[in-house]
Amino acid sequence: MPARTPVRTGPRLPLVVTADPDLLDDLLRLAAAGGTEVDVAPDPVAARPRFAAAPLVVIGADQAAACLRARLPRRPRMVIVGHLPAIEAAWEVAGDLGAEHVAALPTAEPWLVDRFAERIEPAPPGRVLAVIGGRGGAGASILAGALAVTATSSGHRTLLVDADPVGGGLDLVLGWEGMDGLRWPALAATGGRVNPPALLKALPHRGDLVLLSFARDEVLPVPAEAMAATLDAARRGRDVIIADLPRRLDDAATLALAAADQTIMIVPAELRATAAASRIAAMVKMHCDNLAVVVRGPAPGKLKAREVARSIGLPLAGSLRPEAAICQALEKGDAPAADGRGPLAELCKRLIRQLVQEERAEVAA
């Protein structure tokens, strides 16, 4: 009988999500027959950190509805399994959850053994970096745009997601406001049911940089289902995903934070901004533990970046000094950090390099 492995070491293992002891015993037996051990999670909260990277996900009928409520992302090679008659209720949620198969035991036991026996190691999912302002006007959108431009110039297929309905618009930051392509309102109308490759092709893009932003004539909140579909498509089809989030977290922003490998909060070096950022940080950390701060100058009261970070209680990811050239470039429709020079570009290079290096370290673990 294979071990119930709480932490993955070596090759990635199939993930079993169930709290039903009888079902778990059967699945462990079938996995052993397929020649593999498995990771086990009793619920979607425990499953989330391993969900995207597992070569196969087997969800017990007892947890199918809970996984749907938790908005776990759609992914390939996901199966719902259960005994008759309990499995019958799972058919109602299988399509919305994105399961490829619903397997009834004991009839499907030989088929499930074959699935466990398959040695398929999926490509590493794209890395998600969220950006949020510590107060209004902190420069989060400029930082997000610069990170996306830098990731693309570094050779990474990149998606830039504008998730702030009342922001100025990342299409303006990039100078793409006139480009054709799908915007949030059109995606929201699909109810989140999209084909991942088709979605990425339909968005405004230039080279390996793809943008999802808001329409100029319509201010609508982002439905959580549309955000979930976007993150699912991006993690399968992009190397890096940069998400610009609102300070008032809605359901879509919360989903993006939960999916983020790291969140960067940008804070002006001012006393009131630091106080406001402390409140934002407390909310963000409820959904993403890996949170760091970038401090932006000038500092009217001569606050140092390390003092700001220490006051907020976050690690310092970097600091920025004023760059008049960035404001001039934005007025001309040129994306920030597009020339690869200056403090902002150097900071973005380092943040993207760290993000990708963390991915490589996880894959090697």
Side-chain angles (χ1 to χ4, degrees):
M1 178 125 347
R4 303 183 185 187
T5 312
V7 179
R8 176 184 58 80
T9 58
R12 298 178 188 271
L13 300 175
L15 175 63
V16 170
V17 187
T18 183
D20 182 336
D22 294 331
L23 178 60
L24 179 57
D25 285 343
D26 280 342
L27 292 175
L28 291 172
R29 172 175 55 82
L30 297 173
T36 185
E37 297 181 343
V38 296
D39 279 340
V40 176
D43 53 46
V45 173
R48 190 180 294 276
R50 294 167 281 171
F51 191 80
L56 171 70
V57 173
V58 178
I59 298 176
D62 62 302
Q63 294 299 312
C67 288
L68 181 62
R69 288 194 298 271
R71 299 192 179 105
L72 291 181
R74 290 172 174 252
R75 51 149 293 153
R77 306 198 77 238
M78 180 164 60
V79 181
I80 299 178
V81 179
H83 297 106
L84 289 170
I87 191 64
E88 293 176 356
W91 282 100
E92 298 178 6
V93 300
D96 291 334
L97 189 57
E100 293 182 348
H101 302 280
V102 177
L105 301 181
T107 306
E109 286 192 359
W111 179 86
L112 197 54
V113 169
D114 290 341
R115 301 292 77 73
F116 278 124
E118 292 173 345
R119 299 291 184 262
I120 298 178
E121 188 72 10
R127 304 288 286 181
V128 181
L129 178 59
V131 180
I132 191 167
R135 71 151 168 80
S141 294
I142 292 175
L143 177 57
L147 284 164
V149 168
T150 301
T152 306
S153 63
S154 299
H156 304 295
R157 299 170 302 160
T158 304
L159 171 66
L160 177 57
V161 179
D162 187 351
D164 188 353
V166 295
L170 287 179
D171 53 347
L172 286 174
V173 172
L174 296 183
W176 288 18
E177 62 270 24
M179 290 184 66
D180 293 332
L182 200 69
R183 263 68 173 181
W184 273 121
L187 179 56
T190 70
R193 293 177 173 82
V194 296
N195 175 271
L199 170 61
L200 293 173
K201 286 184 179 179
L203 297 175
H205 58 275
R206 184 173 293 163
D208 280 337
L209 178 56
V210 179
L211 171 68
L212 177 54
S213 62
F214 293 89
R216 292 266 130 223
D217 57 350
E218 217 171 346
V219 179
L220 296 173
V222 178
E225 296 78 10
M227 177 61 79
T230 299
L231 293 172
D232 172 47
R235 297 202 75 167
R236 290 200 233 171
R238 300 280 96 182
D239 304 314
V240 173
I241 303 100
I242 307 295
D244 181 21
L245 304 184
R247 288 176 296 115
R248 292 190 176 183
L249 300 179
D250 52 20
D251 287 345
T254 299
L255 268 178
L257 279 174
D261 297 287
Q262 183 179 20
T263 300
I264 296 294
M265 182 166 64
I266 182 167
V267 182
E270 303 167 5
L271 184 60
R272 290 186 64 196
T274 302
S278 296
R279 298 179 181 179
I280 302 295
M283 291 190 296
V284 170
K285 291 198 76 171
M286 295 173 63
H287 308 286
C288 179
D289 286 333
N290 192 0
L291 173 63
V293 63
V294 166
V295 178
R296 178 177 64 79
K302 302 192 182 302
L303 273 176
K304 297 186 182 300
R306 293 195 180 280
E307 293 173 341
V308 173
R310 185 164 50 249
S311 177
I312 300 172
L314 294 177
L316 180 64
S319 59
L320 289 170
R321 62 176 184 267
E323 289 185 80
I326 291 179
C327 297
Q328 295 168 2
L330 289 172
E331 291 297 324
K332 297 176 182 177
D334 296 331
D339 61 2
R341 298 193 299 271
L344 177 60
E346 292 303 318
L347 173 67
C348 290
K349 289 175 186 176
R350 180 163 55 80
L351 292 176
I352 294 298
R353 188 165 56 248
Q354 290 172 350
L355 183 73
V356 175
Q357 286 174 346
E358 286 178 5
E359 174 193 0
R360 290 170 181 163
E362 289 180 6
V363 171

